[in-house]
Amino acid sequence: GAVVSQHPSWVICKSGTSVKIECRSLDFQATTMFWYRQFPKQSLMLMATSNEGSKATYEQGVEKDKFLINHASLTLSTLTVTSAHPEDSSFYICSATRTSGKNIQYFGAGTRLSVL
Amino acid sequence: RKEVEQDPGPFNVPEGATVAFNCTYSNSASQSFFWYRQDCRKEPKLLMSVYSSGNEDGRFTAQLNRASQYISLLIRDSKLSDSATYLCAVNIFAGNQFYFGTGTSLTVIP
């Protein structure tokens, strides 16, 4: 079964609104979660590393004020796309690392965001 | 330079064929290596980890070549259900960062 839950799975919103996406680790504590974005027929692009209890680490070119990340507990990280625009339409996927010998990443089911 | 390079394909092969994918990585400090499978509009799912000595899981064999900094995935006796995009992933422990290749598209044809 799923070890990482992501919600919602699909969002359609008007331009200018903010959208929050939740990522939960279901049966383990995740001190680190990751947020990715994937455009059609392209690879996963790491946006930021979410650290529990501290500020997220953003990849170069990703606006931290545009993509707000909060990792308030060991099982929950949220990504808020603020003032979304059509160019933000994409597939957003979170993942969490379960440390058990090897650092294996488990992914949430992803959130398909469509901004009109 | 990208952390991970992967031939995007597409690879179109007949059922029963053997197909191999390669993936190169640039950071010699990379510690862990994985192959993921991603179906259309779905999240990636772990296919297998890649161990230094190479490892096999049924029809799938993964190899790691640290000297040349590449990993490979071999699929034998391809099935229609193997059609998907295969992503390689590399973990650099220092920053706990994972980098993914662009993915290789595989279509198995009846």
Side-chain angles (χ1 to χ4, degrees), chain B residues 11-56:
Chain B
F11 284 68
N12 300 314
V13 302
E15 259 186 299
T18 295
V19 62
F21 309 134
N22 281 334
C23 186
T24 58
Y25 59 95
S26 60
N27 193 326
S28 59
S30 301
Q31 295 290 325
S32 299
F33 308 88
F34 308 91
W35 283 101
Y36 281 80
R37 170 193 169 128
Q38 185 175 26
D39 292 291
C40 188
R41 293 175 173 264
K42 300 283 189 182
E43 78 278 18
K45 294 195 184 224
L46 180 66
L47 181 64
M48 57 199 301
S49 302
V50 186
Y51 300 112
S52 297
S53 55
N55 48 300
E56 189 174 303

Side-chain angles (χ1 to χ4, degrees), chain A residues 10 32 34 36 38 41-44 46 49 57 59 91 93 97 101-110 112, chain B residues 31-34 36 38 41-46 49-51 87 91 93 95-103:
Chain A
W10 199 359
T32 306
F34 303 90
Y36 295 87
Q38 187 176 36
K41 297 187 185 293
Q42 294 189 25
S43 181
L44 292 168
L46 179 64
T49 302
T57 304
E59 294 297 299
F91 190 46
I93 313 177
T97 301
K102 274 184 176 281
N103 275 344
I104 295 176
Q105 280 207 358
Y106 293 93
F107 288 86
R112 194 159 301 280
Chain B
Q31 295 290 325
S32 299
F33 308 88
F34 308 91
Y36 281 80
Q38 185 175 26
R41 293 175 173 264
K42 300 283 189 182
E43 78 278 18
K45 294 195 184 224
L46 180 66
S49 302
V50 186
Y51 300 112
L87 298 158
N91 175 222
F93 275 6
N96 199 25
Q97 291 163 314
F98 282 74
Y99 293 96
F100 286 83
T102 52

Side-chain angles (χ1 to χ4, degrees), chain A residues 42-59:
Chain A
Q42 294 189 25
S43 181
L44 292 168
M45 187 188 78
L46 179 64
M47 298 175 66
T49 302
S50 172
N51 305 298
E52 187 269 336
S54 65
K55 292 182 180 179
T57 304
Y58 289 82
E59 294 297 299

